[in-house]
Amino acid sequence: MNKLRIPQIIQKKQKGEKLTMLTAYDATMARLMDRAGIDMLLVGDSLGMVILGHDTTLPVTIDAAVHHTRAVSNGTRDALVVADLPFLSYQASLEQAVNNARRLMQDGGAGAVKIEGPEFDTVRRLTSIGVPVMGHLGMTPQSVHQIGGFRRVGKSPEEATRMIDRATALEAAGAFAIVLEMIPHDLARDITAAVAIPTIGIGAGPHCDGQVLVSYDVFGLFDEFVPSFVKRYAELGQAMTDATARYIDDVRSGRFPE
């Protein structure tokens, strides 16, 4: 086993090595991506949309997050498994955040958790007791209603300055990496230069220390909504639909089973 650890993640930035990350929600998908050599697997609350069929990530519960994290952990050998703390699972109190982080790590087997927004006290508390925390700035899906939809943020000078300040504050609080979602490319470059911890971009351009995408977008499995920044590396959804149609035809015609 060659399990990737937090110090190695940070060292990759220092060495100029790009980090790779995709979402995973079950053991089989996790095993396939881990076998390919992915650095990190994110059990994202995007599961609410691509797995459970919701319009947003907000309905995802901590129970669902633990369930899927356990499955991904069971299928992963080398990659670092990072699990999202879902909406309202950490904002009520530091005690709530600690308990739910414990569930994701002890019950779910995660190696780290991810928190959206400028939750500096929460990051500080969790890291102080040994919970690795990945931050998340920019377009934060748990704040979709407050932001006004899934849109690019950080375009004004005021927003940009605030985001740089928040990134350095997250680093000071103990975060080991920060996801930057749907922000201008030059802002992502400035944040990446301002912090010593890795930045992981999603729709934030090429200047981040690594990239993350939703695997169901990458593999062509989810076509209800495809962000403009996604590159589709396969069309497995159409392949599965075609295979299903052939199966149906074979059964109805008597070709299967022989």
Side-chain angles (χ1 to χ4, degrees):
M1 293 181 67
N2 188 30
K3 194 74 172 178
L4 197 62
R5 305 292 185 182
I6 302 300
Q8 294 169 290
I9 296 292
I10 297 173
Q11 286 169 9
K12 281 181 178 287
K13 171 167 182 152
Q14 297 168 348
K15 295 177 181 178
E17 299 176 8
K18 292 289 188 178
L19 288 156
T20 60
M21 189 178 200
L22 286 170
T23 62
Y25 315 100
D26 64 78
T28 297
M29 288 277 282
R31 187 175 296 112
L32 293 171
M33 290 184 281
D34 185 65
R35 190 180 297 162
I38 198 79
D39 291 321
M40 293 178 282
L41 290 173
L42 172 64
V43 188
D45 54 11
S46 50
L47 73 91
M49 301 174 74
V50 301
I51 301 296
L52 303 179
H54 299 299
D55 292 332
T56 70
T57 65
L58 303 185
V60 176
T61 64
I62 186 64
D63 288 341
V66 171
H67 173 85
H68 286 275
T69 301
R70 183 72 268 169
V72 170
S73 297
N74 288 344
T76 304
R77 185 188 67 173
D78 297 330
L80 175 68
V81 176
V82 182
D84 267 337
L85 276 163
F87 181 58
L88 297 183
S89 70
Y90 56 93
Q91 294 93 334
S93 66
L94 295 181
E95 181 181 5
Q96 179 199 38
V98 169
N99 183 57
N100 286 328
R102 178 199 63 76
R103 292 190 61 192
L104 287 173
M105 296 189 72
Q106 289 188 334
D107 301 336
V113 302
K114 182 168 75 64
I115 294 178
E116 291 187 9
E119 299 286 339
F120 311 123
D121 289 341
T122 303
V123 173
R124 190 175 297 108
R125 173 59 176 152
L126 291 177
T127 56
S128 74
I129 58 174
V131 176
V133 178
M134 177 178 285
H136 186 158
L137 297 174
M139 166 59 207
T140 46
Q142 292 178 14
S143 304
V144 61
H145 296 311
Q146 187 178 44
I147 292 173
F150 296 99
R151 65 174 184 85
R152 191 168 295 277
V153 298
K155 292 185 285 186
S156 73
E158 294 78 16
E159 284 183 316
T161 299
R162 182 162 56 248
M163 206 171 298
I164 293 172
D165 290 342
R166 287 176 173 178
T168 56
L170 282 173
E171 179 183 22
F176 74 90
I178 305 172
V179 169
L180 301 176
E181 181 166 358
M182 293 181 67
I183 66 173
H185 297 185
D186 57 349
L187 175 56
R189 179 197 60 214
D190 293 345
I191 292 174
T192 301
V195 297
I197 57 176
T199 58
I200 312 296
I202 176 168
H207 304 299
C208 297
D209 298 305
Q211 299 292 327
V212 61
L213 285 173
V214 173
S215 57
Y216 275 49
D217 292 336
V218 169
F219 302 140
L221 290 168
F222 185 76
D223 58 9
E224 295 296 313
F225 169 73
V226 182
S228 60
F229 54 78
V230 168
K231 181 175 180 179
R232 293 170 86 90
Y233 285 83
E235 292 295 342
L236 301 186
Q238 187 59 54
M240 291 173 69
T241 299
D242 293 344
T244 303
R246 292 197 302 273
Y247 166 76
I248 292 169
D249 187 56
D250 280 358
V251 171
R252 288 176 176 171
S253 67
R255 288 191 298 269
F256 178 82
E258 294 180 355

